[in-house]
Amino acid sequence: MKLIIGVLTNNSMKKSLLLISIISIFLVSCKKNKEEEEAIDVTVPVTLTTIDTSGVSSYSDLNATATYLVKTIIKANATGYLNAVNVASNDFVTSGKVLFTLKTREAKVLGNTINKIDPTLNFGTAIPVYATSNGYVNSVNVQQGNYVQDGDVLATINDTNSFAIVLSLPYELKKYVAIGTTFDAILPDGTVIKTSVQKFMPSVDATSQTQNVILKVIGKRDIPENLILKVRVPKATNSKAISLPKEAVLSNETETEYWIMKLINDDTAVKIPIKKGIETADKVEIITPILTSKDRILLTGNYGVADTIKVKVVKN
């Protein structure tokens, strides 16, 4: 009997010791986890920005093409042979310049004979063909000695007085464009020229729903035909606006609410709801609340955080 009790007692003691060991290990583990959690740095590294008071302008950059609206067609004024061709493609000509001379078949065959009979008739004199406008010769379709019919096209001249920038204006933006308005046109090399609105074309493209607007270049500029430019059309301007970089302004998924994260002390930032105004590619106008130059706003480290966070400023 004593032996059995002794065995049971030893078994109970072993179980108790095992239970105590497990509890001890658990407590040590919990303490270690707690110490590790306390050691984790919960501050968010952020960079800061301040307000911009230089004003905000919203605009659209629209495609435009340089072109000559009038192309003067030079035609033969008689049937005969081209006696002389005094022009070539890309030449600049002035109105009244003799571009071609031609002789009729009769003058070519009988001219010398008749002139011997009566020199005052000048029967074999070549007929001149004149330029009717100032401009660059776009093309010459004939060569010296060619036989042409009355009315045949001899050459085409781009009338310099008709040079214009044709703007493709989406119809919904027409309210921002008026006759006489001045716009900046940006060439592919970055050069900016001034243009003014001259007139609207009376039709809209059926596919793109854009209306062509004729812009005249202010001043003398050597711009090649068919060059594609960008015309900057301002939509809204506020010279006294308070704005922040676009990265500093946050929103919900439906973009119905907007806010910023603002420092209230050296290591705490809070969520501040805002009402925004004009928005550009890199700036957002802040209408409310009224911010000052002393306000420190989170520029980075502000995304996906709580309404109040601990921060560590790494760069201003």
Side-chain angles (χ1 to χ4, degrees), residues 22-177:
I22 293 173
I23 293 172
S24 299
I25 293 171
F26 177 76
L27 292 175
V28 171
S29 177
C30 289
K31 183 178 180 181
K32 184 177 180 181
N33 290 338
K34 184 177 181 181
E35 290 175 350
E36 288 178 352
E37 289 178 358
E38 290 177 351
I40 295 175
D41 187 3
V42 295
T43 60
V44 179
V46 299
T47 60
L48 303 180
T49 187
T50 56
I51 63 171
D52 183 354
T53 58
S54 61
V56 178
S57 295
S58 175
Y59 56 82
S60 292
D61 284 340
L62 305 177
N63 287 333
T65 305
T67 188
Y68 292 92
L69 300 177
V70 177
K71 297 182 184 296
T72 304
I73 306 299
I74 306 300
K75 296 182 178 181
N77 52 9
T79 298
Y81 295 92
L82 285 173
N83 189 59
V85 177
N86 302 322
V87 68
S89 295
N90 302 318
D91 286 351
F92 181 81
V93 297
T94 56
S95 179
K97 179 181 178 179
V98 177
L99 304 181
F100 306 94
T101 60
L102 59 87
K103 284 187 177 183
T104 63
R105 180 182 298 175
E106 294 77 13
K108 192 174 181 66
V109 174
L110 303 175
N112 292 334
T113 303
I114 294 176
N115 284 334
K116 288 179 181 179
I117 298 172
D118 188 353
T120 61
L121 294 177
N122 294 320
F123 186 75
T125 302
I127 302 172
V129 180
Y130 300 100
T132 56
S133 64
N134 298 333
Y136 290 94
V137 178
N138 185 48
S139 63
V140 177
N141 304 326
V142 292
Q143 295 178 347
Q144 185 175 349
N146 287 169
Y147 180 76
V148 296
Q149 300 279 353
D150 187 9
D152 284 353
V153 176
L154 305 181
T156 305
I157 299 174
N158 292 331
D159 189 341
T160 53
N161 293 328
S162 71
F163 181 80
I165 305 296
V166 179
L167 169 66
S168 298
L169 178 69
Y171 197 78
E172 63 269 20
L173 299 181
K174 187 175 181 180
K175 59 185 176 181
Y176 302 113
V177 180

Side-chain angles (χ1 to χ4, degrees), residues 161-217:
N161 293 328
S162 71
F163 181 80
I165 305 296
V166 179
L167 169 66
S168 298
L169 178 69
Y171 197 78
E172 63 269 20
L173 299 181
K174 187 175 181 180
K175 59 185 176 181
Y176 302 113
V177 180
I179 301 296
T181 307
T182 301
F183 293 129
D184 287 339
I186 306 169
L187 277 62
D189 64 356
T191 302
V192 179
I193 61 175
K194 295 291 184 181
T195 63
S196 63
V197 180
Q198 186 181 48
K199 62 181 177 181
F200 291 85
M201 301 302 284
S203 62
V204 172
D205 183 81
T207 303
S208 64
Q209 290 296 290
T210 57
Q211 185 175 14
N212 284 343
V213 181
I214 307 303
L215 308 179
K216 279 295 185 181
V217 178

